[in-house]
Amino acid sequence: MQIYNTLSRKKETYIPQDQIKVYVCGVTPYDEAHLGHARPSIVWDVIKRYFNYQGYTVKMVQNFTDVDDKIIARSLREKRPALEISDYYSKRYLEAMDKLGVVRCDYYPRVSQYIIKIIEMVKGLIEKGHAYESSGDVYFKVNSFPTYGKLSGRNVEELRAGTRLAVEENKQDPVDFALWKSAKPGEISWSSPWGEGRPGWHIECSAMALDLLGESFDFHGGGLDLIFPHHENEIAQSEAYTGKQFVSFWIHNGLITIDNEKMSKSLGNFVTVEDLLRENTKEEIRFYILSTHYRTPLNFTWEGLKESAKGLKRLNNSVRSWQEEAKPLDWQNFSELNELEKRFKDAMDDDFNTAQALGVLFDLNRLGNQYLQQNDKRLGAALKLMHELGGILGIIKEKEEKAIQTDLLDKVVEILLELRLAAKKEKNWALADKIREQLLEAGIILEDSTSATRWKVKD
RNA sequence: GGCGGCAUAGCCAAGUGGUAAGGCAGGGGUCUGCAAAAUCCCGAUCCCCAGUUCAAAUCUGGGUGCCGCCUCCA
């Protein structure tokens, strides 16, 4: 399969390993999960499901950066322990992802649990001459790592010339970055060979990835905004430390804008996962996000989400009606369905092109509905295929969700349907229509077909 | 200033050399007592200019516009 690698800025061939190792940058838990977190989570959830579908296992790690400036700032402001805040928002994050149908990762390591390993790594980097201590801080010596800039396409000379780097007198070189920061009064800290302090940003991801996935692994993911400096620095630290290539494929998702503006708190255009879930199902949110290729910037609008939900509804409507007419049947025996499955895989094999894969699902949808109309036995096979492929994307409702439906309601509606059928036989259209209209008002939709009447509770 | 991305029908969105998937909206037909659902048909020459090529939305050069990163960020 072909996967775009930020490192080479082109698609490269990837041959899946039996166990695929993935590290995805997680969140700094200091506030509610938002749309910008939902995209990489959903994308990687789908990637994982797709590999599983192909028979591979995936070992996936996503970190919580639970020691961080923003958390400390909040902790000082609210006079609450930093780890209490990060613990709370970590849980909130996991809950939000659960509600989006994201399968949990294998590990969710936290900085606070990795202090010893981080210190070990920092020590190692100093010993190897890639880092130095300065007044309780430790910095990575960028000029000791010749290929610095290879991921982000940056040039150290130009970075140095740039005036935007904060001038810190402790640094030997303005491009150097902190591995360890000495503690300021009141901040959370740990003791280290360099005194009380805490890890700098970047080092935690290296330490945790190295520990859980080894010195080299397949994929490292995250938002495009992390390429520089975060991922660039991760490469420098890790490769300087191990002497081996850290990651084979760097995979970055495009960012989300809202009404064409960057999502940010100061602009007040922040959409949280909770906001989304208030009006939409998880399937609708996933479908919306997956309708755009993961590397393309996604401009979120509520109208767009609503529109796309209509498309998804067709898929789920079909599945519902197919289920009433057919039992699942292996699709492997039918060439038309094999063809569709192949097209789906081709799309996914080409840099996880979910947008194209969705197009295949709509073709399957049409085919299945034709089977339905023609009473074709292949309907059951189409149903099964739809479940399998839709299941990779997580957009097909697993079971009929009729939360408010009960046996009692079933019986009552059946009685009304019988009465209506009788009315129809007498060509008493007025009564038949009245029953239908009033049920609709009550939230029950009737759909007549030539043979029978289907009914469902309005979404 | 440096690095990078994007620009395809009314809207959303695939498509990296051979004459444009799919979805939403819209129009028409079939089915139906009607409605709904479903199904069939109808719509773009791909921001502009110049080049390369038998052939370009797809490659090259130059523009224009929007956006991101370079400071925290998924």
Side-chain angles (χ1 to χ4, degrees):
Chain A
M1 57 191 301
Q2 297 290 115
I3 301 175
Y4 184 88
N5 190 349
T6 306
L7 206 49
S8 61
R9 304 206 178 268
K10 59 185 187 216
K11 287 181 192 172
E12 295 176 22
T13 301
Y14 175 68
I15 297 159
Q17 313 296 304
D18 286 338
Q19 189 187 52
I20 298 165
K21 295 177 182 165
V22 181
Y23 186 95
V24 182
C25 274
V27 300
T28 301
Y30 73 107
D31 212 338
E32 296 295 329
H34 62 255
L35 196 49
H37 301 128
R39 167 121 97 154
S41 297
I42 289 171
V43 165
W44 280 101
D45 182 54
V46 169
I47 291 174
K48 179 179 175 174
R49 292 183 195 214
Y50 181 61
F51 279 134
N52 287 159
Y53 177 76
Q54 306 266 58
Y56 304 106
T57 60
V58 178
K59 184 174 181 182
M60 187 132 89
V61 178
Q62 187 175 40
N63 66 291
F64 284 116
T65 302
D66 67 346
V67 177
D68 168 272
D69 290 346
K70 289 189 290 294
I71 295 169
I72 290 171
R74 191 158 184 154
S75 150
L76 294 174
R77 196 169 59 237
E78 297 181 3
K79 300 195 173 21
R80 285 167 69 195
L83 292 182
E84 187 183 304
I85 291 170
S86 54
D87 192 54
Y88 172 77
Y89 286 111
S90 299
K91 284 194 180 112
R92 293 284 297 163
Y93 174 83
L94 289 175
E95 283 167 19
M97 294 309 129
D98 287 347
K99 287 181 193 164
L100 289 174
V102 172
V103 176
R104 293 257 177 135
C105 295
D106 300 285
Y107 299 95
Y108 288 98
R110 302 176 184 211
V111 181
S112 60
Q113 300 162 338
Y114 265 81
I115 302 297
I116 291 170
K117 288 212 160 75
I118 288 171
I119 289 173
E120 217 171 86
M121 189 169 167
V122 173
K123 263 161 74 181
L125 283 166
I126 293 176
E127 280 161 20
K128 289 174 203 255
H130 289 293
Y132 56 91
E133 189 258 332
S134 173
S135 311
D137 295 333
V138 179
Y139 293 97
F140 184 86
K141 194 186 288 184
V142 167
N143 72 10
S144 76
F145 188 73
T147 58
Y148 189 83
K150 67 180 171 185
L151 180 70
S152 57
R154 269 161 236 245
N155 166 310
V156 177
E157 278 313 312
E158 282 167 3
L159 284 172
R160 214 170 260 139
T163 53
R164 304 194 63 167
L165 278 166
V167 180
E168 287 177 42
E169 59 271 26
N170 288 346
K171 286 186 189 178
Q172 291 175 0
D173 184 342
V175 294
D176 291 348
F177 58 90
L179 297 173
W180 186 265
K181 296 174 165 184
S182 59
K184 299 197 185 76
E187 287 183 359
I188 183 169
S189 66
W190 290 264
S191 50
S192 77
W194 320 285
E196 284 289 305
R198 63 187 164 97
W201 185 37
H202 318 307
I203 189 71
E204 82 284 8
C205 282
S206 294
M208 297 188 282
L210 258 34
D211 182 52
L212 294 167
L213 298 175
E215 295 180 332
S216 296
F217 54 94
D218 304 277
F219 301 118
H220 191 129
L224 205 99
D225 53 346
L226 294 176
I227 294 173
F228 189 89
H230 188 54
H231 290 160
E232 192 67 63
N233 292 351
E234 272 188 56
I235 291 176
Q237 296 158 355
S238 307
E239 298 191 353
Y241 185 67
T242 66
K244 293 187 181 142
Q245 177 165 14
F246 183 43
V247 169
S248 303
F249 282 78
W250 285 89
I251 300 179
H252 292 98
N253 59 276
L255 303 184
I256 292 181
T257 54
I258 294 183
D259 294 327
N260 279 315
E261 281 189 309
K262 182 180 171 171
M263 184 166 60
S264 84
K265 291 191 176 164
S266 52
L267 290 167
N269 60 354
F270 226 65
V271 176
T272 66
V273 172
E274 287 293 327
D275 290 337
L276 291 168
L277 283 164
R278 244 191 300 283
E279 311 238 2
N280 301 278
T281 64
K282 62 174 185 267
E283 289 86 1
E284 287 166 353
I285 297 166
R286 296 173 67 104
F287 179 81
Y288 179 67
I289 285 176
L290 297 172
S291 295
T292 302
H293 181 86
Y294 76 90
R295 281 191 287 112
T296 305
L298 171 59
N299 182 45
F300 174 86
T301 61
W302 287 103
E303 298 71 41
L305 176 55
K306 213 167 148 189
E307 250 183 29
S308 90
K310 285 188 202 167
L312 175 63
K313 196 169 179 188
R314 276 187 48 212
L315 257 34
N316 276 303
N317 274 166
S318 296
V319 169
R320 168 153 48 191
S321 55
W322 298 357
Q323 276 169 342
E324 289 171 13
E325 303 296 329
K327 288 267 172 282
L329 188 68
D330 285 341
W331 50 266
Q332 281 78 198
N333 305 320
F334 305 104
S335 61
E336 278 174 306
L337 297 172
N338 271 296
E339 179 63 26
L340 285 167
E341 198 251 3
K342 181 178 183 304
R343 281 176 52 208
F344 183 94
K345 286 200 294 197
D346 285 345
M348 292 298 285
D349 283 345
D350 185 10
D351 199 26
F352 309 111
N353 195 333
T354 54
Q356 197 164 68
L358 282 170
V360 178
L361 251 42
F362 278 97
D363 289 341
L364 171 60
N365 181 249
R366 187 173 305 112
L367 186 65
N369 278 320
Q370 286 166 0
Y371 290 159
L372 178 68
Q373 284 187 346
Q374 295 154 9
N375 270 319
D376 191 312
K377 290 189 182 53
R378 285 173 289 184
L379 179 62
L383 173 64
K384 188 161 181 186
L385 185 59
M386 182 66 92
H387 269 301
E388 285 185 15
L389 301 183
I392 293 170
L393 304 178
I395 57 166
I396 298 299
K397 289 181 181 167
E398 292 130 33
K399 55 183 189 306
E400 201 42 55
E401 285 165 26
K402 293 180 180 174
I404 46 173
Q405 204 163 327
T406 63
D407 288 348
L408 181 63
L409 180 63
D410 261 0
K411 281 179 193 154
V412 173
V413 174
E414 289 306 326
I415 290 167
L416 286 166
L417 286 185
E418 268 177 45
L419 290 173
R420 181 160 173 272
L421 186 63
K424 282 172 71 174
K425 276 183 181 151
E426 292 165 16
K427 297 201 189 302
N428 187 349
W429 308 128
L431 179 59
D433 290 352
K434 190 177 178 186
I435 291 173
R436 185 172 62 201
E437 278 159 28
Q438 295 202 336
L439 279 173
L440 182 63
E441 279 172 36
I444 290 167
I445 298 169
L446 300 192
E447 286 172 10
D448 290 334
S449 73
T450 41
S451 54
T453 298
R454 256 197 282 280
W455 69 276
K456 63 186 182 188
V457 177
K458 210 162 152 184
D459 295 329

